[in-house]
Amino acid sequence: MAGELYHGSFVIVFITVIVLSISNWEESGYLLYIGVFSYGLALLGYLAAKIRWKNWLALHISGMLGSYIGIVTATITVNISKIPLLNELPILLFWLLPTIIGTPIIIKIRKKYTFLKVQ
């Protein structure tokens, strides 16, 4: 049930990203690329759980966490200019920080839930 809610919410966010980025391309066109990539990961995670591919749990968790990293990155980069003190730091930091934090978590979880037989 939580996965259905997450995916449905992400679809709404994705549609909103498409509309906003196209209507205000000069300022926020980059959000379209983040949105497409993030929704692709959310869809991967959703389908992995629905279809139950080999190693579906690792794919599901990776897709969901990857989509979350994308949405956090977009939210931070759009709003960081409005936060005192943080807006004085380089914007590149906020582009990279969610990925720097999230990627090791994804790697650790994938190792735990990947059931590949190594010969």
Side-chain angles (χ1 to χ4, degrees):
M1 183 69 151
E4 294 291 338
L5 181 61
Y6 183 83
H7 182 254
S9 299
F10 218 102
V11 168
I12 293 168
V13 169
F14 181 55
I15 291 168
T16 305
V17 165
I18 292 170
V19 171
L20 290 176
S21 62
I22 291 173
S23 67
N24 196 9
W25 187 258
E26 295 298 320
E27 283 186 33
S28 55
Y30 67 94
L31 290 176
L32 179 66
Y33 303 109
I34 296 173
V36 168
F37 184 71
S38 297
Y39 180 68
L41 289 170
L43 186 60
L44 170 69
Y46 179 76
L47 291 176
K50 287 290 182 191
I51 298 172
R52 302 282 171 127
W53 296 317
K54 183 178 180 180
N55 295 322
W56 72 269
L57 187 56
L59 288 171
H60 171 70
I61 293 170
S62 298
M64 292 295 122
L65 287 175
S67 68
Y68 187 74
I69 289 169
I71 210 163
V72 168
T73 301
T75 303
I76 289 173
T77 56
V78 165
N79 294 303
I80 201 64
S81 64
K82 300 171 185 105
I83 301 173
L85 297 177
L86 292 180
N87 62 1
E88 296 176 20
L89 296 171
I91 190 70
L92 184 61
L93 174 68
F94 299 103
W95 272 97
L96 298 176
L97 198 57
T99 303
I100 290 169
I101 293 169
T103 300
I105 296 169
I106 291 173
I107 291 169
K108 184 175 182 174
I109 289 172
R110 280 193 64 101
K111 284 182 182 177
K112 182 176 182 178
Y113 290 106
T114 300
F115 308 110
L116 294 175
K117 293 180 182 178
V118 179
Q119 297 178 355

